[in-house]
């Protein structure tokens, strides 16, 4: 989780990712951010987030994103 | 609640219909000046007593060359000309079909010049010959027979769809004649008193094929049949206009057709001397159409044939008819006088030269 | 059958009346029949194309689902008997089979689209190479592009990918799938609906609801207003300018560019209004495709608000899969190791963006104009992405604030930017497009705007009056719409006012619409006989 937050903060230093719950709905993260994010997550956690998992529910908060990562790691 | 809803729907429909009707009347061309022949077809339906001995159908060779007033005054024959600008054979057929809903004449006279056309020529002429008909199956069939590929049947049912774009060119004429019309013809005859002598006519072009087209014949057959079915005598006539040229070969086809069907065919071009026509004096556009004096001469001649051949009784002693025709004659002579006055004052007729510079240019 | 033809209106009247008269359980079947009739009228061979696509998509969907069932049954049966490794292996085997099926289906249907749409474009390009070497050129093939093929092909592709991804189960009734693919209001110009959106209301039974029906009718009327009064009228000037680049350069190019923006907006959004309205009259909900795009403050925002269903299609089915696929992630890693974080990070973004915009371009039309147009869009988006931090810094230093003036400036800037890219849409080839674009700056003779030259472009003064009023109406409508649905706002007003507005709208379309013979035929000379 720490590492994820670090990645996110690097993208948008002005956002408090601990508490923000509408990253997609409020257009904080755009599609460029998302694919950068996915590349870095792939680096950090060694999971590939497939395209069909790119839905608002999975990216709206750092927490949701982290649980997605955990789920994908689990599936491996 | 439900009742209220139905009432409001009815009101909305009524409002929409009346606006549409008013707009349609405003936007349709009035043909009250310049191209007055556009108003001819509709004018028939304003006629109070639709009962005539003789009915003319055809193009400008009938509505410019024969005068029903003369036929009445000379022979006591009642007649009406259902002519239209470049009326084609199928136009004539459907016009006759529609006319027969109102009356049954003794004789129908068809001008054969239109036989030269086997296809619709221009949208404008379709509109001028069909728009004036009241909405009926006949009108729909007339439109179907006449339409060019770019036309839509629905525009004959709702002419507003055709003329909507005239909003930008509405003139005072459109407002003046929004809800009423002037009478522009004399039982379908369009009067012109001006003179333009026929000079040298162009040499007629040689044609590849002199045979009239299949469609033209098909509708001529239909006219013949319709007359036969209704016990009406059909007369084919070539009016004494010098141009367009009436070829020998065309004449022969009509002679043959008349013979085959037991009809009377008269080519008045053969009798110009007998009629007494002088093309220095009796035409207003160098031989295409006769003017008033020419038309009266032609009517006198043709009336005599009608009378002797078909025994049409003289009705000049019928009191009711006398009154009606007196009124018509008064208007006729009034217009004649007016036209002579205009000629003297301006050198040309006002009605036909509203925009001298833009002569004969229209966008119906 | 075009939306603006009498036959379409006739078709619609009959279809809608019968739709509410027949038993409700038959409604969707009747719609399917209607859609096929609609499609049939545009040529029976079109029907063949769409049937092939429907059938291939249907069976691929079923087959993919069969494999899912087989997998579930196998795993259930052998629960506890196989190791996690074996389980994973089995799943991968199934997935690989499904992937193969998906690929065949996609290549097949995309192949049809590619052949009918791009064969002649390819031949033209091959020919220009051949002619360089003075070799005999190939002759063009005579292929008719089936109506709406780009739209329905994309619809089926989205559907089959979603089935593969397990987003939803495939449609088991081939008739229902056929209706989803061929639903007639969407056939001509989309929107590219998703199966899970459209199917919600498409197969339901609908009883006549006067509220929904009149909303739909109003929407249709509004669409016709945009199309007939504005788009089909202004098109005369657009064509005069863009078809004669030798005569009309400089300021004319600017005029043409703005006029084209108006035409395209009125035509496209008007068409979509008719689509959505017709569907609504049938009780079916179709997703919006535009959210006042010309009010966008940036190009990225513009593409979120213009032709939305196409944008999201490319995002979900091309951009994301492309940028997160294994090779791309590996490339990203490699480039970061090689060029450092800053540049390396951008490689996948750049690559995916340009690929998406290339496909977007070529999807719009088979010519270099569209390809260059697409790529330029990508470039502009990437540049603005790069400049964002710079903007932020600038705004920190210079306090402009979010004033109305600044917002307006951004809106106009975006509008002009998008309009100038669209110049490529208008001219014969890429070279002329660029040349004309530059004449705007080299020949800025603004007298053209005031000396009556604009009246010689095929529009007369009365046309301009209609257009100006039309554009003002569109603009006002959009401005009000920002605060909510205009129809709902109107519904608070008296019925008389409401009906008056609708009646006026109806007659404006009828009278001021640019349709019929009287409009496009030139004045003709009357020869008197």
């Amino acid at each position: 989780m720490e590492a994820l937050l670090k990645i996110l903060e690097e993208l948008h230093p002005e956002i408090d990712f601990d508490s923000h719950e509408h990253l997609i709905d409020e257009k904080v993260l755009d599609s460029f951010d998302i694919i950068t994010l996915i590349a870095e997550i792939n680096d950090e956690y060694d999971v590939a987030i497939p395209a069909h998992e790119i839905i608002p529910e999975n990216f709206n908060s750092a927490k949701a994103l982290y649980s997605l990562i955990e789920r994908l790691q689990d599936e491996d | 609640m439900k009742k209220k809803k139905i009432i409001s729907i009815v009101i909305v429909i009524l409002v929409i219909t009346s606006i549409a009707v008013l707009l349609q009347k405003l936007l349709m061309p009035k043909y009250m000046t310049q191209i007055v022949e556009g108003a001819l077809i509709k004018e028939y339906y304003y006629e109070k007593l639709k009962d005539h001995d003789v009915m003319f159908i055809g193009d400008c060779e009938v509505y410019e060359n024969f005068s029903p007033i003369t036929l009445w005054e000379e022979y006591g024959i009642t007649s009406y000309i259902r002519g239209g600008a470049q009326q084609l054979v199928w136009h004539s057929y459907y016009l006759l079909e529609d006319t027969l809903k109102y009356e049954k004449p003794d004789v129908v006279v068809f001008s054969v010049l239109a036989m030269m056309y086997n296809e619709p020529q221009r949208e404008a002429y379709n509109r001028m010959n069909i728009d004036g008909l009241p909405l009926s199956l006949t009108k729909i069939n007339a439109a179907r027979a006449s339409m060019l590929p770019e036309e839509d049947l629905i525009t004959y049912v709702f002419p507003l769809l055709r003329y909507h774009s005239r909003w930008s060119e509405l003139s005072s004429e459109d407002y003046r004649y929004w809800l009423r019309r002037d009478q522009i013809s004399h039982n379908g005859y369009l009067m012109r008193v001006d003179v333009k002598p026929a000079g040298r006519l162009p040499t007629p072009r040689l044609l590849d094929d002199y045979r009239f087209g299949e469609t033209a014949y098909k509708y001529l057959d239909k006219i013949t049949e319709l007359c036969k079915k209704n016990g009406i005598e059909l007369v084919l006539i070539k009016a004494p206009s010098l141009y367009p040229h009436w070829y020998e070969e065309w004449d022969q086809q009509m002679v043959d057709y008349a013979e085959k069907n037991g009809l009377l065919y008269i080519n008045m071009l053969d009798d110009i001397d007998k009629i007494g026509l002088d093309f220095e004096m009796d035409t207003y556009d160098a031989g295409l159409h006769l003017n008033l004096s020419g038309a009266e001469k032609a009517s006198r001649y043709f009336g005599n044939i009608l009378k002797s051949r078909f025994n049409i009784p003289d009705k000049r002693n019928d009191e009711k008819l006398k009154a009606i025709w007196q009124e018509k004659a008064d208007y006729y002579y009034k217009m004649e006088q007016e036209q002579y006055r205009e000629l003297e004052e301006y050198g040309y007729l006002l009605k036909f030269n509203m925009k001298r510079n833009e002569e004969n240019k229209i966008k119906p | 059958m075009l939306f603006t033809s009498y036959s379409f209106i006739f078709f619609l009247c009959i279809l809608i009346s019968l739709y509410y008269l027949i038993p409700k359980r038959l409604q969707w079947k009747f719609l399917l029949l209607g859609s096929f009739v609609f499609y049939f009228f545009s040529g029976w061979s079109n029907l063949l194309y769409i049937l092939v696509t429907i059938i291939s998509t249907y069976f691929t969907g079923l087959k993919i689902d069969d494999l899912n069932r087989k997998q579930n049954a196998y795993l259930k049966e052998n629960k506890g008997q196989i190791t996690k490794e074996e389980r994973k292996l089995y799943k991968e085997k199934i997935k690989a089979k499904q992937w193969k099926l998906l690929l065949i289906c996609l290549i097949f249907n995309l192949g049809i689209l590619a052949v009918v749409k791009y064969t002649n474009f390819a031949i033209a390009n091959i020919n220009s190479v051949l002619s360089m070497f003075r070799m005999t050129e190939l002759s063009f093939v005579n292929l008719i592009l089936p109506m709406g093929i780009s739209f329905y092909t994309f619809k089926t592709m989205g559907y089959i990918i979603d089935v593969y991804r397990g987003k939803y189960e495939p449609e088991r009734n081939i008739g229902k799938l056929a209706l989803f693919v061929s639903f007639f209001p969407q056939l001509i110009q989309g929107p590219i609906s998703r199966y899970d959106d459209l199917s919600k209301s498409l197969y339901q039974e609908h009883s006549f609801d006067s509220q929904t029906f009149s909303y739909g009718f109003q929407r249709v009327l509004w669409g016709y207003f945009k199309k007939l009064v504005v788009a089909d009228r202004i098109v005369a000037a657009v064509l005069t300018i863009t078809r004669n680049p030798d005569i009309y350069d400089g300021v004319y190019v600017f005029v043409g560019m703005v006029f084209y923006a108006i035409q395209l907006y009125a035509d496209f959004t008007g068409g979509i209004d008719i689509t959505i309205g017709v569907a609504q009259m049938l009780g079916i909900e179709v997703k919006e495709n535009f959210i006042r795009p010309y009010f966008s403050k940036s190009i990225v925002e513009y593409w979120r608000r213009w032709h939305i269903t196409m944008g999201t299609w490319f995002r979900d089915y091309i951009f994301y899969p492309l940028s997160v696929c294994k090779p791309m992630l590996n490339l990203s890693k490699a480039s970061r190791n090689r060029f450092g974080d800053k540049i390396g990070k951008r490689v996948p973004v750049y690559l995916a963006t340009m690929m998406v915009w290339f496909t977007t371009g070529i999807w719009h039309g088979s010519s270099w104009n569209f390809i260059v147009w697409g790529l330029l869009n990508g470039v502009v988006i990437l540049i603005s992405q790069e400049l964002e931090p710079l903007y932020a810094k600038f705004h920190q230093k210079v306090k402009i604030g979010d004033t109305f003036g600044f917002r307006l400036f951004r809106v106009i800037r975006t509008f002009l930017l998008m309009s100038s890219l669209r110049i490529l849409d208008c001219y014969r080839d890429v070279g002329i497009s660029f040349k004309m674009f530059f004449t705007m700056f080299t020949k800025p003779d603004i007298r053209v705007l005031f000396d009556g030259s604009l009246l010689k472009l095929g529009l007369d003064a009365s046309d301009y009056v209609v257009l100006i009023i039309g554009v003002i109406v569109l603009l006002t409508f959009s401005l009000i719409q920002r605060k909510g649905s205009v129809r709902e706002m109107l519904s608070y007003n008296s019925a008389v006012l409401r009906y008056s507005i609708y009646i006026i709208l109806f007659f404006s379309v009828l009278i001021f619409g640019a349709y019929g013979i009287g409009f496009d035929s030139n004045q003709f000379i009357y020869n008197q006989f």
Side-chain angles (χ1 to χ4, degrees):
Chain A
M1 186 77 183
E2 291 288 299
L4 178 63
L5 282 174
K6 215 181 133 217
I7 296 170
L8 283 166
E9 261 152 38
E10 235 172 73
L11 274 174
H12 286 280
E14 73 283 5
I15 304 291
D16 176 17
F17 285 98
D18 269 329
S19 59
H20 209 299
E21 305 227 306
H22 304 282
L23 294 171
I24 303 295
D25 301 340
E26 287 172 13
K27 303 193 173 86
V28 177
L29 296 179
D30 61 21
S31 47
F32 295 115
D33 295 330
I34 288 171
I35 62 172
T36 315
L37 201 56
I38 289 174
E40 304 214 0
I41 287 170
N42 180 52
D43 251 14
E44 185 69 36
Y45 297 93
D46 198 31
V47 284
I49 298 175
H52 65 270
E53 296 284 7
I54 308 178
I55 46 174
E57 296 88 88
N58 285 338
F59 282 77
N60 255 335
S61 65
K63 221 193 278 162
L65 186 52
Y66 192 68
S67 60
L68 170 69
I69 296 170
E70 282 185 321
R71 180 156 61 85
L72 290 171
Q73 277 175 327
D74 221 36
E75 268 178 31
D76 266 346
Chain B
M1 190 59 210
K2 195 153 190 196
K3 207 171 161 193
K4 213 175 144 191
K5 202 164 187 180
I6 292 172
I7 292 174
S8 63
I9 288 175
V10 169
I11 291 176
V12 168
I13 290 174
L14 276 178
V15 169
I16 290 179
T17 330
S18 31
I19 297 177
V21 168
L22 282 176
L23 281 174
Q24 179 159 300
K25 281 185 183 294
L26 176 64
L27 288 164
M28 282 182 78
K30 309 298 180 289
Y31 304 115
M32 285 291 111
T33 55
Q34 211 73 7
I35 319 147
V36 289
E37 49 272 52
L40 286 174
I41 298 299
K42 198 182 174 92
E43 202 165 276
Y44 170 77
Y45 299 97
Y46 296 132
E47 199 66 19
K48 272 183 227 104
L49 184 68
K50 295 192 192 69
D51 182 13
H52 302 94
D53 302 326
V54 177
M55 185 62 57
F56 292 83
I57 45 174
D59 53 14
C60 53
E61 297 216 342
V62 289
Y63 68 73
E64 298 274 17
N65 292 353
F66 295 97
S67 164
I69 296 291
T70 308
L71 289 177
W72 169 259
E73 290 188 332
E74 296 284 327
Y75 305 102
I77 295 174
T78 57
S79 63
Y80 201 98
I81 303 173
R82 298 226 65 190
Q86 208 192 68
Q87 191 177 100
L88 303 175
V89 191
W90 39 97
H91 292 145
S92 304
Y93 169 73
Y94 287 107
L95 263 175
L96 182 60
E97 189 182 288
D98 205 61
T99 310
L100 292 185
K101 290 176 192 166
Y102 299 88
E103 58 173 304
K104 200 179 279 178
D106 300 333
V107 179
V108 164
V109 180
F110 172 65
S111 157
V112 294
L113 178 69
M115 287 300 289
M116 67 189 274
Y117 297 110
N118 196 43
E119 274 111 33
Q121 301 294 306
R122 279 199 181 160
E123 195 245 354
Y125 300 125
N126 282 342
R127 305 291 336 187
M128 283 190 229
N129 281 293
I130 299 170
D131 274 342
L133 288 171
L135 186 56
S136 67
L137 199 60
T138 304
K139 181 174 188 167
I140 306 250
N141 287 333
R144 285 166 56 120
S146 317
M147 281 192 304
L148 291 157
E150 65 267 27
E151 291 188 75
D152 279 297
L153 186 60
I154 188 135
T155 63
Y156 285 93
V157 182
F158 303 110
L160 179 59
L161 296 172
R162 167 64 184 83
Y163 296 112
H164 67 97
S165 54
R166 280 191 77 245
W167 64 268
S168 61
E169 49 197 65
L170 288 178
S171 65
S172 56
E173 186 184 317
D174 289 296
Y175 294 103
R176 193 171 342 129
Y177 297 107
W178 190 342
L179 300 172
R180 64 182 181 91
R181 290 285 192 281
D182 280 348
Q183 189 189 331
I184 51 106
S185 80
H186 307 275
N187 272 32
Y189 167 65
L190 275 187
M191 181 190 290
R192 299 228 11 192
V193 302
D194 44 340
V195 179
K196 187 178 169 195
R200 260 180 59 88
L201 288 167
T203 342
R205 200 158 55 85
L206 289 177
L207 302 185
D208 294 334
D209 185 6
Y210 290 92
R211 194 156 164 78
F212 292 137
E214 247 170 66
T215 318
Y217 267 122
K218 179 181 134 192
Y219 280 95
L220 182 58
D221 284 343
K222 285 180 82 133
I223 291 173
T224 311
E225 212 174 296
L226 189 62
C227 287
K228 227 167 244 169
K229 213 174 76 191
N230 285 281
I232 297 169
E233 298 281 357
L234 177 63
V235 177
L236 305 179
I237 190 165
K238 172 64 191 80
S241 284
L242 300 180
Y243 192 85
H245 185 74
W246 185 248
Y247 296 91
E248 274 302 311
E249 293 84 346
W250 288 358
D251 191 54
Q252 192 53 48
Q253 284 179 66
M254 285 299 100
V255 169
D256 295 344
Y257 187 87
E259 199 178 345
K260 199 180 106 198
N261 292 282
L263 307 174
L264 173 62
Y265 166 58
I266 304 168
N267 181 354
M268 289 174 77
L269 285 168
D270 295 340
D271 302 330
I272 284 178
D273 292 335
K274 266 193 258 171
I275 300 166
L277 284 174
D278 172 5
F279 277 95
E280 291 301 303
M281 287 302 299
D282 293 333
T283 167
Y284 72 83
D285 54 3
L288 265 72
H289 306 105
L290 302 179
N291 58 17
L292 181 65
S293 81
E296 288 184 344
K297 286 179 190 169
S299 307
R300 244 175 250 130
Y301 176 82
F302 186 56
N304 190 30
I305 297 176
L306 283 175
K307 194 168 177 58
S308 54
R309 182 83 183 233
F310 301 108
N311 293 320
I312 300 170
D314 187 338
K315 293 188 177 147
R316 274 174 291 187
N317 292 323
D318 183 321
E319 287 305 320
K320 197 175 144 213
L321 284 177
K322 214 164 140 182
I324 291 175
W325 282 86
Q326 190 54 51
E327 202 183 313
K328 288 177 186 289
D330 289 346
Y331 181 54
Y332 183 78
Y333 292 116
K334 205 180 121 207
M335 186 185 272
E336 181 185 5
Q337 264 180 357
E338 180 62 21
Q339 289 202 356
Y340 277 121
R341 191 189 61 76
E342 280 176 16
L343 268 186
E344 205 160 303
E345 193 168 331
Y346 307 101
Y348 55 84
L349 297 176
L350 288 180
K351 197 172 236 165
F352 305 99
N353 295 280
M354 292 299 275
K355 301 166 234 160
R356 275 217 119 175
N357 299 332
E358 272 193 297
E359 223 172 23
N360 299 335
K361 211 181 208 180
I362 57 154
K363 187 185 178 186
Chain C
M1 242 193 287
L2 293 173
F3 282 169
T4 50
S5 65
Y6 292 121
S7 43
F8 177 70
I9 291 168
F10 185 67
F11 167 80
L12 211 55
C13 289
I14 292 179
L15 183 115
I16 292 177
S17 334
L18 289 178
Y19 181 77
Y20 285 113
L21 286 176
I22 57 170
K24 291 191 182 56
R25 68 197 152 76
L26 295 178
Q27 276 175 332
W28 75 262
K29 289 180 184 149
F30 182 66
L31 272 190
L32 177 64
L33 179 76
S35 299
F36 277 8
V37 168
F38 178 89
Y39 213 54
F40 182 80
F41 272 111
S42 61
W44 64 269
S45 62
N46 288 351
L47 211 52
L48 228 63
Y49 281 102
I50 202 168
L51 280 176
V52 165
T53 297
I54 289 168
I55 291 167
S56 61
T57 308
Y58 173 73
F59 284 107
T60 312
L62 286 192
K63 200 87 189 103
I64 289 177
D65 196 51
D66 276 352
L67 286 167
N68 274 338
R69 278 159 200 266
K70 198 173 141 196
Q71 167 179 303
N72 290 344
Y74 176 84
L75 293 180
K76 204 171 163 189
E77 203 177 298
N78 297 300
K79 207 174 175 188
Q81 292 170 358
I82 51 171
T83 62
K84 206 179 163 191
E85 282 303 303
E86 281 171 325
R87 191 184 145 96
K88 199 179 150 190
L89 218 64
Y90 185 78
K91 269 184 161 180
E92 270 171 14
K93 207 175 89 193
I94 294 284
K95 202 81 209 167
K97 274 189 190 165
Q98 288 175 327
W99 171 247
K100 212 186 270 170
L101 283 170
L102 173 72
L103 217 57
I104 291 170
C105 179
L106 290 183
I107 290 172
F108 178 69
N109 286 315
L110 204 59
I112 297 176
L113 176 64
V115 167
V116 292
K117 199 165 171 179
Y118 304 112
T119 306
N120 280 334
F121 177 55
I123 291 177
N125 284 311
I126 293 170
N127 280 349
S128 54
V129 175
L130 289 179
S131 70
M132 257 191 283
F133 298 102
R134 296 179 190 283
M135 285 153 77
T136 31
E137 297 184 11
L138 306 172
S139 53
F140 290 98
V141 289
N142 192 10
L143 282 171
I144 298 159
L145 192 62
M147 191 176 75
I149 189 171
S150 308
F151 289 99
Y152 75 69
T153 305
F154 269 46
K155 258 162 105 175
T156 57
M157 284 167 69
Y159 162 81
I160 201 69
I161 294 174
D162 283 349
V163 168
Y164 166 78
R165 287 175 175 177
K167 194 173 170 196
Y168 41 73
E169 298 232 322
E171 176 59 65
R172 306 211 149 261
N173 185 328
I174 190 162
K176 286 187 175 176
L177 184 72
L179 177 59
F180 163 69
V181 179
S182 64
F183 184 46
F184 74 90
Q186 296 186 323
L187 264 178
I188 299 175
Q189 52 181 8
I192 309 168
S193 283
R194 304 286 175 90
Y195 171 75
D196 46 341
D197 278 330
L198 194 59
S199 61
K200 274 182 226 151
S201 53
L202 192 57
Y203 313 123
Q204 264 172 12
E205 299 180 352
H206 301 280
S207 25
F208 183 82
D209 176 57
S210 62
Q211 178 82 357
T212 332
F213 185 83
S214 62
Y215 270 16
F217 182 73
Q218 289 155 17
R219 187 87 191 247
V220 171
L221 208 57
W222 180 235
Y224 276 115
F225 179 84
K226 287 174 170 175
K227 251 181 121 67
L228 289 174
V229 178
V230 180
D232 289 357
R233 189 174 294 273
I234 206 167
V235 69
V238 174
L239 290 180
T240 309
I241 292 174
T242 56
R243 295 251 169 100
N244 303 291
D246 301 334
I247 308 169
Y248 300 108
D249 54 9
V251 175
Y252 283 114
V253 180
F254 181 79
V255 172
M257 175 180 113
V258 173
F259 279 12
Y260 183 62
I262 295 170
Q263 184 210 330
L264 187 67
Y265 172 83
D267 189 76
F268 200 179
T269 67
I272 294 292
D273 284 332
I274 295 172
T275 296
I276 295 179
V278 167
Q280 204 169 14
M281 286 164 88
L282 298 165
I284 293 159
E285 210 180 309
V286 171
K287 264 203 168 174
E288 293 295 332
N289 208 24
F290 295 93
I291 312 173
R292 301 178 295 287
Y294 287 171
F295 288 170
S296 305
K297 292 190 279 291
S298 71
I299 182 166
V300 174
E301 189 188 345
Y302 171 87
W303 278 112
R304 271 204 300 265
R305 299 169 69 163
W306 174 275
H307 206 348
I308 297 166
T309 55
M310 181 205 68
T312 51
W313 197 98
F314 277 107
R315 187 195 67 199
D316 290 349
Y317 299 117
I318 297 189
F319 182 71
Y320 283 151
L322 199 65
S323 38
V324 302
C325 66
K326 277 263 159 56
M328 194 64 108
L329 290 176
N330 292 340
L331 177 73
S332 162
K333 213 182 268 179
S335 56
R336 256 186 292 180
N337 288 339
R338 188 157 177 166
F339 306 111
D341 238 21
K342 217 165 177 179
I343 298 176
K345 218 166 73 178
R346 287 179 164 76
V347 171
V349 178
Y350 275 46
L351 213 59
T353 305
M354 293 318 281
M355 289 283 279
V356 164
W357 282 104
F358 174 81
T359 29
T360 307
I362 202 161
W363 181 80
H364 274 84
S366 52
S367 77
W368 284 105
N369 289 48
F370 286 107
I371 295 174
V372 175
W373 169 83
L375 293 176
L376 276 177
N377 265 293
V379 169
V380 174
I381 286 175
L382 289 174
I383 290 176
S384 66
Q385 195 74 13
E386 291 298 336
L387 289 179
E388 217 159 81
L390 220 67
Y391 279 138
K393 230 182 249 170
F394 174 75
H395 281 292
Q396 265 178 355
K397 280 203 185 123
V398 190
K399 286 268 179 281
I400 295 182
D402 198 23
T403 59
F404 172 75
F406 185 59
R407 282 203 305 266
L408 187 66
F409 162 75
R410 293 180 68 189
V411 166
I412 292 173
R413 183 196 58 187
T414 309
F415 174 80
L416 291 179
L417 188 62
M418 292 318 296
S419 302
S420 34
L421 285 179
R422 261 187 243 112
I423 286 180
L424 279 156
D425 206 346
C426 295
Y427 288 96
R428 205 175 52 240
D429 60 46
V430 178
I432 289 182
S433 306
F434 275 98
K435 194 179 132 202
M436 297 322 284
F437 175 75
F438 288 115
T439 63
M440 282 202 289
F441 304 99
T442 53
K443 293 181 180 175
D445 182 8
I446 55 166
R447 272 175 309 178
V448 166
L449 297 176
F450 310 105
D451 65 0
S453 309
L454 293 184
L455 293 174
K456 291 174 193 141
L457 299 173
L459 300 176
D460 59 26
S462 51
D463 289 320
Y464 279 105
V465 172
V466 173
L467 282 174
I468 289 168
I469 294 174
V471 169
I472 290 174
V473 170
L474 293 193
L475 199 62
T476 318
F477 185 86
S478 292
L479 285 170
I480 300 174
Q481 210 188 26
R482 289 185 308 173
K483 301 201 178 66
S485 159
V486 177
R487 281 190 299 221
E488 268 164 38
M489 274 180 234
L490 271 177
S491 67
Y492 300 131
N493 284 297
S494 75
V496 176
L497 175 79
R498 234 169 20 199
Y499 279 112
S500 306
I501 289 178
Y502 297 134
I503 290 174
I504 290 172
L505 187 63
F506 174 72
F507 281 107
S508 322
V509 175
L510 211 58
I511 304 293
F512 301 118
Y515 64 91
I517 292 181
F519 189 76
D520 48 24
S521 78
N522 293 320
Q523 292 211 345
F524 49 82
I525 312 291
Y526 175 69
N527 305 321
Q528 216 184 21
F529 77 87

